[in-house]
Amino acid sequence: MTANWAAFATAEPDLAATVEKRFGAYTHHVLATLRKDGSPRTSGLEVRFLNGELWLGMMPNSLKALDLRRDPRFALQANPGEGTGMGGGDVRISGRAIEIDDVETKARYVEEVEPPEPFHLFRTELTEVVRTYVEDDKFLVVQIWTPGEPLRTIKRT
């Protein structure tokens, strides 16, 4: 089961706002894709939350774009920033990336983002959103959301 960003934000608005804030704090993040041989590849990436979707834009024929064309599964890690404070926690998103070739959709994206052209554009379908943070300098808290399930919160000492 998957969900787009709008469905996630409707189901868990507080967590969605925290995740967007963490991704908005820095421009570059880390995308994990799968190579032809199944081994992981990590790459830098900028992301956009627009019109109820989480978008991934990439240079033409970049290895990460070719990876996603072959196998759409991805994991996306927000830039943790400097030091160890992790203001707002560590957040990551997993799912599937669907390439968009629709001229009108890409034109709307270009209006908003003004990316260098040509480019690959992928819309995401989320399978998991996770936030990990420290509470009261005592607990490690992990929040896990998957489509169709209530938010799970695990606290460890």
Side-chain angles (χ1 to χ4, degrees):
M1 180 176 230
T2 63
N4 73 352
W5 187 258
F8 165 60
T10 298
E12 292 297 334
D14 293 339
L15 181 56
T18 298
V19 171
E20 281 193 51
K21 185 176 178 181
R22 288 294 297 122
F23 276 97
Y26 297 93
T27 303
H28 297 98
H29 307 286
V30 178
L31 176 72
T33 58
L34 296 170
R35 300 171 191 253
K36 284 182 195 178
D37 67 3
S39 63
R41 180 192 316 274
T42 58
S43 309
L45 181 76
E46 296 180 25
V47 302
R48 294 288 190 276
F49 298 90
L50 297 170
N51 304 317
E53 302 287 356
L54 169 57
W55 299 96
L56 312 175
M58 299 168 202
M59 293 173 55
N61 297 315
S62 63
L63 293 175
K64 58 191 161 198
L66 298 177
D67 287 347
L68 290 173
R69 281 180 159 180
R70 188 176 45 262
D71 186 329
R73 293 175 293 172
F74 73 90
L76 181 63
Q77 182 87 31
N79 185 330
E82 296 181 26
T84 59
M86 303 278 284
D90 177 56
V91 296
R92 67 182 184 273
I93 300 169
S94 299
R96 292 178 186 83
I98 309 305
E99 188 164 17
I100 302 299
D101 290 323
D102 177 65
V103 174
E104 290 178 22
T105 302
K106 284 185 91 169
R108 285 193 304 272
Y109 183 85
V110 167
E111 276 183 35
E112 293 276 344
V113 178
E114 299 178 0
E117 295 189 59
F119 65 99
H120 295 284
L121 181 62
F122 293 86
R123 180 183 58 77
T124 61
E125 295 180 347
L126 312 180
T127 56
E128 182 180 69
V129 178
V130 178
R131 175 183 179 219
T132 304
Y133 62 97
V134 176
E135 183 179 277
D136 299 330
D137 290 326
K138 177 168 143 178
F139 298 103
L140 179 68
V141 181
V142 181
Q143 295 176 298
I144 305 162
W145 177 84
T146 56
E149 299 291 328
L151 181 65
R152 291 181 309 158
T153 302
I154 301 165
K155 281 188 177 185
R156 298 181 195 165
T157 55

